[in-house]
């Protein structure tokens, strides 16, 4: 995933009390995120989640757009 087009950074956080994780990613654009989400890299990550967890789905997904951070797109 670290070589995904438009990926700025990623954080993986684990709960201290439960077997739950929070994944936060920052992308250059919504299009870059959608491109990754429909590609082979996303499928590999989902396969890993399914093979290592009894819960393969996400409980919640949010996508936010922060236009003030597009300072590099000039």
């Amino acid at each position: 995933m670290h070589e995904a087009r438009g990926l700025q950074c990623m954080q993986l956080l684990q709960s201290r009390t439960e077997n739950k994780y929070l994944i936060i990613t920052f992308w250059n654009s919504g299009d870059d995120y959608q491109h990754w989400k429909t590609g082979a890299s996303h499928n590999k990550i989902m396969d890993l989640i399914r093979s290592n967890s009894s819960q393969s789905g996400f409980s919640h997904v949010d996508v936010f757009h922060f236009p003030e951070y597009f300072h590099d797109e000039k």
Side-chain angles (χ1 to χ4, degrees):
M1 181 166 164
H2 66 281
E3 296 176 7
R5 178 186 81 191
L7 178 65
Q8 294 179 3
C9 68
M10 178 183 90
Q11 290 288 319
L12 174 63
L13 307 170
Q14 182 179 7
S15 170
R16 290 183 177 190
T17 59
E18 300 179 54
N19 190 22
K20 293 184 178 183
Y21 296 87
L22 173 64
I23 302 168
I24 302 171
T25 58
F26 292 85
W27 299 85
N28 287 338
S29 70
D31 290 340
D32 287 337
Y33 170 73
Q34 291 301 327
H35 180 264
W36 170 78
K37 190 175 174 185
T38 59
S41 295
H42 181 265
N43 291 335
K44 286 180 187 178
I45 290 171
M46 291 307 298
D47 288 344
L48 283 171
I49 291 170
R50 287 183 194 102
S51 67
N52 290 296
S53 174
S54 61
Q55 181 181 1
S56 62
F58 291 99
S59 61
H60 190 75
V61 175
D62 279 326
V63 177
F64 296 98
H65 180 249
F66 298 102
E68 62 271 20
Y69 293 107
F70 284 95
H71 56 81
D72 293 332
E73 290 188 11
K74 293 183 181 177

